[in-house]
Amino acid sequence: MNFIDATRKGKEGILVLGNHPQIVQSILDFDFVCGKREPSVVAVIGGARRAQKFFFGPSELLIPCFADVSKVPQGLRGKIFWMLNVQSGRRSFDSTVSFFETFPHALGGHLFAENIPERHSTELIRRFGATKLLAGPSGVGFLVPGYLKLGAIGGTDAAMLEASKLATEGTIAVVSTSGGMTNELIRAVANAGKRLSFAISIGGDRFPVTSLSEVLLLAQSDSKTKAIVYFGELGGVDEYEIVELIEKKKLTKPVLAYVAGIIDEAFDEHMQFGHAKALVARPSESARAKRDALRKAGALAPETFPEFLARMKKLPGTTVRDMALPMDALQKRRASVLSTRQVVDLDETPIFVKAKKLVSQKEGFATKIFESLLDRKLRSPSTAGFAEAVFGLLIDHGGEVSGAVNTMISARAGRDLVSSLASGLLTIGPRFGGAVNAAAGQWLDGVCGAESAAEFVEKRTKGGNLLAGIGHRKYRVGIPDPRVAALADFATLLKQHPYYDFAREVEKVTTAKNGSLILNVDGVMAALALDIFAQCEQLSQDELRELVTTEFFNALFVIPRTVGFIAHFMEQKKNDEGLFRLPEELLFVRRKKK
Amino acid sequence: MARVKISEYRAKKILLGDSYKGILVRTEEKQKMPKGGTWVAKVDQGVKKRFKQGLVAVGVTPAQAAKKFALWQKEGFSQFLLEPLVPHKSEEEQYLSLDRVREGIRVLHAGEGGIDIETHPEKVGTYTIANDEDLAIVSSATNIPQTFLRHVLEVFDKNFFAFLEINPLVIQGGKAHLLDAACLVDSAGEFFVTSWGQDDIVKSRAAHESEARVEELQNTTPASLKLSVINPNGSLFFLLSGGGGSIVIADEAELEGAGKLIGNYGEYSGGPTRQETYLYAKEVIALMLKSNAKKKALVIAGGVANFTDVQKTFAGIIDALSEFAPKLREQKVKVFVRRGGPNEKAGLELMCAFLDREKLFGSIHGSDDVITSAVADAIKFAV
């Protein structure tokens, strides 16, 4: 089975050596529009990061990164069949050798660098030329429509995937030394109403690892290929390989070639063009000589490029059936700036109390903490149940909140657990996380005072002040917060609940003004804590006041949230995406007046 | 990425080490000349067919050599070589060259020195050496001592040489004398060697000042920027992208019989930044403005790029065009565009709006049109 058929049978996994996010993203876009369930890029080698974020369709995912090939875990190794080496010419040789030492069963790869020494290329040929398919050095790689995009080949802009019809298999093999012209021919094939069987950019270097002859024999043996479209340049003698293969009847599929370089005749002496090989050293290496030789052997070698394109339309093809590509999914997506995991399921609605009974009677760590902070044994299982419920609810509220963000940014700056945690905890205050304590003080004032809820609200919100424990971004009257409802069930365990009642009275007043000003988790938690402490633990109003001034209710938040922050910290260290920097477009900067 | 010439002095020093007694003489550096002896003086700047051009003086005294150097300096040369004369009979001369090829190192040998191997292929033996066995065969076939041949091959390989020509080679009593040598190294190997460096690379052709500036710019970026002036008074000026695509576009002009009108050839590729593109475009535009042709067209064209951002590079070109817009209008220059690739739509729109506003519009084509569309339009305009 040849390399291309093997790829079509599912050997599509790529290990990327080096850092070229634009190319990697283009591969993931290709995979997505071709309908793959998971990206072909298995992992990335290089850099200090542990993971790098890319889009797969409309959503993001993390691709694992490793320091070198030997660190790729066994679980991933079996998936890797191709190497995409985008490292510099200085490193390409060593990394390629170690790739194939680690993955001896890999099919091949692509070397992207333009400045790989000839000595290294010839050594790569000696070691891997006979057994692997290696596109390059230089060029843009190798493409099998619908299956594999190994490199920048076919473009790095999602729009080009559709324009060049890269998801549809066809009959034309595109072979080119020049990377840019590989893409030009890929588009030309699509514009001619044909589709590709595969495309390869051999690279403009003097010694491509997989030679032109080898690629042509691959096209000859490929079951899908019916014709070969070739782009070559002046300099070198590659085209004579085509001539030889045709003459020896090893290549019988039609070849349509354009050999560029007639312009060289406009110079007084032969010129070195863009590619290393593009220099006429002998008369036989001129574009004209090579065109003549190809024609003599029976290949089509039109004189001008427009003629070449016209001839392309007549090459054998099949009925073309293009899939509609999900291009919408690739538009308008915006990269996230931080990544973390879901620590607790915020959508899950807990049940603490059912039919006036505690669901769980277990006393655990939360009970111990309450006892330590209150300096007494808890008298009532209701208090213990409440402690467990509150701590469970407050562990995390997503990575978006200020404290979690600060923890993550510190972690990505390389700080340790304690420092990163401290940076998160230091964020807790009047605007973030401090509402439970403030709400407790507020409900205590309300119940002790003689004002009605309406008067209380009127007085407290004067001058635009906000009430603690009131208001939600998402929930409103008619769409109740399920967590508030779950906590509110604790009221059914109590004979009286004046603080809870007062909070609900206040809510009636505020929601009359604005439906989103409902009692929130902080507010209900504070109210019920006061009721439970007063009734089940028999704390006096003075003792409750003392809990507010000693910030017990802040501790109620800080203790469980510490766990959440640590979870976000650990996630950062695990992925290690590098130092965080806010993308410019997310920051408004007021310019200095000049 | 390319094969470049190093000085004969450096090549021989690497091959022969301390036993090499040649002296490098540079006009910008003070060099102590030897007191006496008989010497060979020559220009060491990678010039082909030096002997025929009178750039070699055989059997001279140090004083005579110094006079020669002064003379050659007036002709524009600045680097010379002074070597002790090796008395020998002409029948002792041989030809030897090494070339790095796919399969190993190709050796060409002739029992006659000083010959042009292109015109006398019948006198040349061709061998490819990939291992020790090959080496032994070549040594016995050519009568070149095995130790010497092995040494040359090892030095050649280890120092990232690409091509070495020793013509003539004289072997006397087992000792090899390299009378003349030309050496190309692989510029990509520079990082891996200490034996040669930038200072040893010779440039045989004095570049046009615009070419020289682009070369300088090239040295500061990983992207590729190239410029060659063909006809300073041409009508068609090229701002092309892509190593292969640029040749296709230039070919079209030559094939359409407009070769004489071509002012320059060049290309940018490999994702240059907006600033780099700006600096490069400025050189081409300045070159065009200096041309005394009556009708002038600027062709901004390239294939469908893989990863070079059309919008970004076009922004750089527009920066340069803006700077010269009044002069371009004055000279009635029109701009013809064909390009595809990442951010193609936005890039073409940007360019279209600009050319329209500045009254420089010739034509604009995207990736749905043939790569040669812009140059074809430009030829129609300029002829």
Side-chain angles (χ1 to χ4, degrees):
Chain A
M1 186 158 52
N2 74 23
F3 295 112
I4 301 167
D5 285 328
T7 308
R8 292 190 187 116
K9 293 248 155 69
K11 297 191 169 177
E12 303 163 19
I14 299 169
L15 184 67
V16 179
L17 274 53
N19 186 22
H20 204 311
Q22 192 190 2
I23 290 178
V24 174
Q25 184 59 63
S26 79
I27 295 171
L28 266 62
D29 288 344
F30 169 84
D31 292 340
F32 180 78
V33 300
C34 290
K36 292 192 194 181
R37 290 229 189 104
E38 53 182 78
S40 55
V41 176
V42 177
V44 173
I45 300 297
R49 297 171 170 196
R50 299 242 175 102
Q52 209 173 349
K53 210 159 37 179
F54 292 98
F55 285 107
F56 188 58
S59 47
E60 290 179 297
L61 53 74
L62 287 164
I63 302 267
C65 300
F66 305 99
D68 64 78
V69 286
S70 67
K71 304 280 189 325
V72 177
Q74 287 301 337
L76 295 181
R77 290 192 177 195
K79 294 183 180 175
I80 293 166
F81 295 99
W82 296 95
M83 169 193 77
L84 174 59
N85 196 331
V86 293
Q87 291 186 318
S88 75
R90 294 172 183 183
R91 292 172 162 197
S92 294
F93 176 77
D94 287 340
S95 56
T96 300
V97 169
S98 59
F99 172 83
F100 286 114
E101 277 170 359
T102 315
F103 301 96
H105 301 296
L107 299 176
H110 164 47
L111 293 124
F112 183 59
E114 296 215 337
N115 58 342
I116 294 175
E118 293 178 8
R119 186 175 185 231
H120 291 170
S121 303
T122 51
E123 182 59 22
L124 289 174
I125 291 165
R126 202 181 64 75
R127 293 191 193 203
F128 310 117
T131 54
K132 309 290 179 194
L133 175 65
L134 269 165
S138 88
V140 290
F142 173 54
L143 178 99
V144 184
Y147 297 98
L148 178 72
K149 180 179 184 316
L150 190 68
I153 189 164
T156 50
D157 184 334
M160 297 160 84
L161 298 170
E162 190 178 41
S164 296
K165 310 294 179 198
L166 299 186
T168 313
E169 274 188 277
T171 54
I172 309 291
V174 160
V175 181
S176 162
T177 48
S178 154
M181 285 309 291
T182 305
N183 205 24
E184 184 70 30
L185 295 195
I186 287 173
R187 179 64 62 84
V189 167
N191 287 349
K194 314 282 171 195
R195 299 295 177 260
L196 297 171
S197 52
F198 72 96
I200 188 164
S201 157
I202 294 170
D205 269 18
R206 198 173 286 266
F207 305 122
V209 181
T210 294
S211 70
L212 176 59
S213 296
E214 285 155 352
V215 169
L216 292 170
L217 292 174
L218 193 62
Q220 176 72 25
S221 68
D222 174 38
S223 54
K224 306 258 172 169
T225 302
K226 289 189 180 169
I228 298 152
V229 169
Y230 171 78
F231 176 87
E233 294 169 357
L234 74 171
V237 290
D238 290 355
E239 287 73 10
Y240 296 98
E241 295 179 18
I242 308 181
V243 170
E244 198 186 322
L245 290 177
I246 295 176
E247 281 172 350
K248 288 189 175 159
K249 306 229 181 311
K250 286 183 181 170
L251 180 60
T252 57
K253 293 180 180 175
V255 177
L256 171 62
Y258 184 83
V259 182
I262 298 295
I263 181 67
D264 192 50
E265 296 167 10
F267 293 90
D268 297 334
E269 54 182 279
H270 295 302
M271 219 194 57
Q272 170 77 57
F273 286 85
H275 298 123
K277 207 162 51 181
L279 170 70
V280 175
R282 277 171 278 274
S284 60
E285 295 183 11
S286 77
R288 217 173 272 280
K290 296 203 277 191
R291 288 174 174 198
D292 288 343
L294 283 169
R295 284 174 198 149
K296 230 174 119 190
L300 299 160
E303 190 67 5
T304 70
F305 201 76
E307 282 168 43
F308 169 73
L309 294 181
R311 196 62 195 70
M312 204 181 281
K313 294 199 174 106
K314 296 183 192 154
L315 291 176
T318 46
T319 331
V320 169
R321 256 185 241 115
D322 293 321
M323 285 192 303
L325 302 186
M327 298 304 291
D328 286 352
L330 307 182
Q331 311 297 324
K332 284 182 199 142
R333 51 191 183 184
R334 203 166 73 189
S336 57
V337 294
L338 287 165
S339 346
T340 190
R341 68 180 172 90
Q342 194 179 38
V343 179
V344 291
D345 187 354
L346 296 173
D347 297 326
E348 194 186 47
T349 309
I351 302 168
F352 306 118
V353 179
K354 214 172 177 179
K356 299 192 178 185
K357 272 191 182 139
L358 275 173
V359 171
S360 166
Q361 289 281 357
K362 261 190 224 158
E363 290 184 11
F365 188 45
T367 308
K368 293 266 186 309
I369 292 171
F370 263 48
E371 288 179 344
S372 305
L373 297 180
L374 297 171
D375 195 17
R376 61 163 75 199
K377 277 264 170 215
L378 294 187
R379 295 179 190 178
S380 159
S382 296
T383 317
F386 184 73
E388 300 294 336
V390 166
F391 276 11
L393 279 179
L394 289 179
I395 285 175
D396 188 56
H397 202 212
E400 299 91 339
V401 302
S402 296
V405 168
N406 275 349
T407 305
M408 291 193 281
I409 289 175
S410 303
R412 281 183 55 172
R415 301 309 306 263
D416 56 304
L417 178 130
V418 175
S419 310
S420 304
L421 175 62
S423 124
L425 292 176
L426 290 173
T427 318
I428 298 170
R431 292 187 179 171
F432 170 68
V436 190
N437 210 69
Q442 184 182 276
W443 304 144
L444 202 54
D445 289 348
V447 169
C448 297
E451 293 154 328
S452 69
E455 287 164 342
F456 182 83
V457 171
E458 189 60 32
K459 214 164 113 192
R460 291 267 170 154
T461 56
K462 233 178 217 166
N465 287 328
L466 299 174
L467 288 172
I470 293 287
H472 202 280
R473 274 194 315 134
K474 203 164 87 188
Y475 299 111
R476 64 182 319 284
V477 176
I479 315 167
D481 184 341
R483 297 190 304 159
V484 170
L487 280 171
D489 287 342
F490 276 99
T492 63
L493 301 177
L494 305 171
K495 284 192 185 112
Q496 294 161 352
H497 29 74
Y499 298 101
Y500 176 70
D501 293 341
F502 184 77
R504 285 295 188 193
E505 285 299 309
V506 167
E507 184 188 32
K508 271 184 201 153
V509 177
T510 54
T511 51
K513 293 179 182 173
N514 182 332
S516 69
L517 294 177
I518 53 171
L519 185 64
N520 62 27
V521 170
D522 297 338
V524 78
M525 203 179 279
L528 284 168
L530 292 170
D531 281 326
I532 288 169
F533 289 154
Q535 208 180 101
C536 306
E537 304 299 324
Q538 268 124 46
L539 262 61
S540 68
Q541 273 195 351
D542 284 346
E543 283 171 313
L544 291 175
R545 177 71 62 193
E546 196 182 73
L547 286 183
V548 173
T549 52
T550 55
E551 295 190 57
F552 168 81
F553 297 94
N554 270 341
L556 227 52
F557 179 82
V558 168
I559 293 163
R561 190 52 62 94
T562 296
V563 176
F565 288 170
I566 291 174
H568 291 299
F569 167 85
M570 288 169 68
E571 192 67 12
Q572 302 310 302
K573 291 293 170 183
K574 215 165 83 192
N575 297 332
D576 199 8
E577 291 181 274
L579 180 66
F580 172 83
R581 191 172 192 280
L582 197 63
E584 265 172 51
E585 66 272 19
L586 293 186
L587 184 70
F588 167 72
V589 181
R590 192 167 54 78
R591 301 278 162 205
K592 255 187 191 164
K593 285 199 181 104
K594 281 182 186 160
Chain B
M1 174 180 167
R3 294 182 165 191
V4 291
K5 278 177 192 164
I6 58 169
S7 66
E8 182 175 357
Y9 170 80
R10 182 55 61 199
K12 287 181 174 172
K13 201 79 191 167
I14 296 170
L15 280 162
L16 302 172
D18 287 341
S19 71
Y20 178 57
K21 300 297 179 201
I23 301 164
L24 184 72
V25 181
R26 284 173 162 172
T27 52
E28 72 265 30
E29 289 166 20
K30 272 231 156 41
Q31 177 63 52
K32 234 180 161 180
M33 294 290 274
K35 293 241 168 64
T38 314
W39 300 81
V40 177
K42 46 194 173 184
V43 170
D44 188 6
Q45 284 181 258
V47 186
K48 276 185 181 172
K49 306 204 165 100
R50 278 183 300 194
F51 215 87
K52 278 185 191 156
Q53 294 189 50
L55 301 176
V56 181
V58 180
V60 291
T61 64
Q64 286 169 321
K67 265 190 199 160
K68 273 285 179 192
F69 293 158
L71 193 75
W72 290 330
Q73 195 182 336
K74 276 184 195 151
E75 289 178 35
F77 295 103
S78 59
Q79 184 164 288
F80 316 102
L81 186 56
L82 194 63
E83 290 179 328
L85 180 76
V86 179
H88 66 279
K89 297 187 201 94
S90 66
E91 55 266 31
E92 286 174 314
E93 293 188 352
Q94 310 180 43
Y95 173 93
L96 177 70
S97 77
L98 278 67
D99 189 4
R100 196 182 290 276
V101 295
R102 202 174 165 81
E103 301 78 18
I105 291 166
R106 182 192 292 147
V107 175
L108 299 189
H109 177 262
E112 239 176 86
I115 60 157
D116 185 344
I117 54 154
E118 293 256 332
T119 49
H120 296 283
E122 76 285 354
K123 294 183 180 172
V124 180
T126 305
Y127 316 89
T128 303
I129 300 182
N131 51 42
D132 269 6
E133 226 168 281
D134 298 336
L135 179 89
I137 293 167
V138 176
S139 172
S140 67
T142 58
N143 265 332
I144 296 175
Q146 217 181 102
T147 46
F148 173 70
L149 192 58
R150 182 188 305 279
H151 172 73
V152 173
L153 280 162
E154 276 174 8
V155 170
F156 183 95
D157 190 41
K158 209 173 68 191
N159 291 285
F160 291 80
F161 283 12
F163 177 78
L164 174 71
E165 185 179 60
I166 306 169
N167 185 24
L169 168 72
V170 170
I171 295 171
Q172 291 176 333
K175 189 171 163 24
H177 299 281
L178 285 49
L179 298 194
D180 262 319
C183 178
L184 297 177
V185 293
D186 175 6
S187 64
E190 192 184 338
F191 174 76
F192 300 93
V193 298
T194 50
S195 56
W196 56 266
Q198 276 301 317
D199 193 42
D200 301 305
I201 294 168
V202 295
K203 290 188 183 87
S204 48
R205 188 161 154 240
H208 187 279
E209 53 178 350
S210 307
E211 294 174 4
R213 275 197 295 272
V214 169
E215 236 175 76
E216 263 172 51
L217 187 60
Q218 170 69 88
N219 291 336
T220 64
T221 164
S224 169
L225 302 168
K226 290 197 172 63
L227 177 68
S228 307
V229 179
I230 300 178
N231 173 8
N233 291 318
S235 288
L236 289 176
F237 284 83
F238 286 140
L239 200 50
L240 306 179
S241 34
S246 62
I247 310 181
V248 173
I249 295 158
D251 270 4
E252 182 72 5
E254 178 73 12
L255 286 163
E256 289 294 310
K260 292 261 184 307
L261 302 181
I262 302 173
N264 72 307
Y265 165 79
E267 61 104 8
Y268 65 88
S269 56
T273 64
R274 176 176 177 164
Q275 291 74 18
E276 287 158 2
T277 318
Y278 158 75
L279 291 170
Y280 176 76
K282 239 171 70 163
E283 291 301 334
V284 175
I285 297 166
L287 198 63
M288 175 169 65
L289 287 170
K290 277 190 214 139
S291 160
N292 62 17
K294 282 205 180 114
K295 272 193 163 178
K296 288 185 234 178
L298 180 65
V299 180
I300 302 173
V304 184
N306 289 285
F307 56 92
T308 298
D309 189 307
V310 177
Q311 189 180 7
K312 220 158 55 184
T313 47
F314 271 20
I317 293 175
I318 288 173
D319 290 343
L321 284 170
S322 312
E323 217 172 292
F324 294 100
K327 272 196 179 164
L328 289 166
R329 265 196 303 277
E330 209 174 281
Q331 297 197 5
K332 299 196 171 60
V333 172
K334 294 289 178 217
V335 181
F336 301 84
V337 181
R338 194 278 184 176
R339 187 68 165 136
N343 287 321
E344 167 181 333
K345 200 163 161 267
L348 291 176
E349 278 169 9
L350 193 72
M351 184 60 84
C352 191
F354 171 81
L355 294 178
D356 226 24
R357 193 170 63 237
E358 299 291 334
K359 302 192 170 32
L360 298 170
F361 189 90
S363 68
I364 285 202
H365 302 272
S367 56
D368 289 339
D369 294 335
V370 181
I371 186 170
T372 50
S373 308
V375 66
D377 292 346
I379 294 167
K380 269 183 223 143
F381 168 80
V383 173

